Amino acid sequence: MRRADRLFQIIQVLRRTRKPLTADAIAAELETSKRTIYRDIATLMGQRIPIRGEAGMGYILESGFDMPPLMLTPDEIEAAVLGAQWVMGHADPALATAAKDLIAKIADTVPEKLRPFVLEPASRARPVVDGAVDALDMVQMRAHIHAGKKVRLRYRDESGRDSERIIWPVAVGYLEAVRLLAAWCELRNDFRSFRTDRAVAADYLDEKYPERREVLRSRWRKTLAWEPPTDT
């Protein structure tokens, strides 16, 4: 790896974590020596890159630092295109369209020599055949997730029984053939998962749920609430 590339990668490694990283950890990821990392970090600090830390304690990149947009490596381009391909074949129509636009923007922005990684990628994602159709407005649902607002959901389980409940939506899981909506259910006083294609109707309320969105998401992550949908 060229030194310029390695300096760039050190910044990338530091920017993806909020905890201090030791030179040993960085060296292991970049497959180089700890001494080289010490020297490279000293160079970056000398160039006024806002890195804090010291040998033995670890290093962290201060918030607010930004690099020029779309300085992508070939592997990053492959990853972005592969992810966009998967979204095109598995997500709702709005996200699928956004994924197509993303690929077009990357192709228009990257240097000419990297364009084949966008237009002729080595990796491909298989599209879904006869995937489930959303019965919810997923654009509105994602907006309510971001806003931390409640939804009145009418849901039909696999036995055909309907129920109505107020939920606090947390996240949408895009699985291979179906999509699951994870939410706090006021009726059950617990997290539940709902298949979006089994939703009968939804009212998107203006009322915010009483818990901070970050706190609710943290509690949900601890439960891993992607269990099979249930009406109980």
Side-chain angles (χ1 to χ4, degrees), residues 78-105:
E78 288 268 356
V81 173
L82 180 62
Q85 288 176 349
W86 193 93
V87 171
M88 287 165 56
H90 294 74
D92 56 89
L95 281 186
T97 298
K100 292 179 183 178
D101 292 342
L102 174 61
I103 292 177
K105 287 180 180 179

Side-chain angles (χ1 to χ4, degrees), residues 140-151 169 204-206:
Q140 187 66 50
M141 184 63 73
R142 286 195 297 273
H144 263 54
I145 290 173
H146 288 298
K149 292 183 178 180
K150 297 183 180 182
V151 174
Y204 300 93
L205 309 178
D206 287 332

Side-chain angles (χ1 to χ4, degrees), residues 2-132:
R2 296 183 307 162
R3 187 164 190 251
D5 293 335
R6 191 172 62 247
L7 293 175
F8 175 79
Q9 287 300 320
I10 289 173
I11 295 174
Q12 289 289 84
V13 170
L14 290 174
R15 78 189 305 194
R16 80 166 84 110
T17 181
R18 297 179 181 177
K19 298 180 180 179
L21 281 180
T22 63
D24 279 328
I26 300 172
E29 177 162 344
L30 301 186
E31 298 181 347
T32 189
S33 68
K34 182 168 64 174
R35 178 176 297 180
T36 297
I37 297 300
Y38 285 143
R39 185 171 61 247
D40 288 345
I41 286 180
T43 297
L44 290 170
M45 288 180 169
Q47 296 174 354
R48 298 188 177 181
I49 304 299
I51 296 174
R52 291 189 293 107
E54 58 185 48
M57 300 298 294
Y59 299 93
I60 191 168
L61 185 66
E62 292 182 348
S63 60
F65 174 74
D66 199 10
M67 292 189 295
L70 286 179
M71 290 181 58
L72 301 179
T73 66
D75 282 345
E76 289 170 343
I77 294 173
E78 288 268 356
V81 173
L82 180 62
Q85 288 176 349
W86 193 93
V87 171
M88 287 165 56
H90 294 74
D92 56 89
L95 281 186
T97 298
K100 292 179 183 178
D101 292 342
L102 174 61
I103 292 177
K105 287 180 180 179
I106 294 174
D108 287 342
T109 307
V110 298
E112 184 68 31
K113 67 178 181 179
L114 295 178
R115 199 158 295 161
F117 289 93
V118 183
L119 303 179
E120 301 172 7
S123 306
R124 294 282 179 178
R126 183 175 67 89
V128 170
V129 178
D130 296 329

Side-chain angles (χ1 to χ4, degrees), residues 50 54 70-71 75 84 115-116 131 133 146 153 162 179 200 221 229 232:
E54 58 185 48
L70 286 179
M71 290 181 58
D75 282 345
R115 199 158 295 161
V133 177
H146 288 298
L153 180 69
D162 286 6
R179 287 172 277 280
V200 178
R221 288 191 189 100
T232 60

